[in-house]
Amino acid sequence: MERLGGLLLVAAPFLAAGAIGLIFPRAWQRVLGAGIGSAAAFAGYMYFTQRDFARHFAGSTLRVADPMTTALETALIAFPIGLSVGLTLHLIASFIRNKEP
């Protein structure tokens, strides 16, 4: 059950950004909005957690990664996943809307 909760926590920003992307009228805006929203959510999370981690271990001899670099690397990973989720949600929404009785 803990694994399911962890998977839901990881999937929540992608699904939330994809759902917010459905507000836009055009398909490319929906997909791009979902990708940018996902990348921003994960990059912000990683930046603030790394910033606190770097401050906490400031006297350590270990080299800590730069928070901005870590956030940008995370955004580069989350952006295409967000694009895929946005495209999937767009296709599902257009199928539901265009379905004839």
Side-chain angles (χ1 to χ4, degrees), residues 13-73:
F14 292 119
L15 293 176
I20 292 171
L22 291 176
I23 295 172
F24 297 113
R26 298 183 187 261
W28 68 269
Q29 292 172 338
R30 290 177 173 186
V31 173
L32 193 62
I36 291 172
S38 300
F42 278 102
Y45 172 75
M46 286 303 292
Y47 175 76
F48 288 112
T49 56
Q50 289 293 321
R51 185 186 64 167
D52 293 341
F53 178 74
R55 188 181 312 137
H56 182 64
F57 292 107
S60 176
T61 58
L62 296 173
R63 183 176 172 170
V64 179
D66 180 35
M68 186 59 76
T69 304
T70 306
L72 290 175
E73 290 171 352

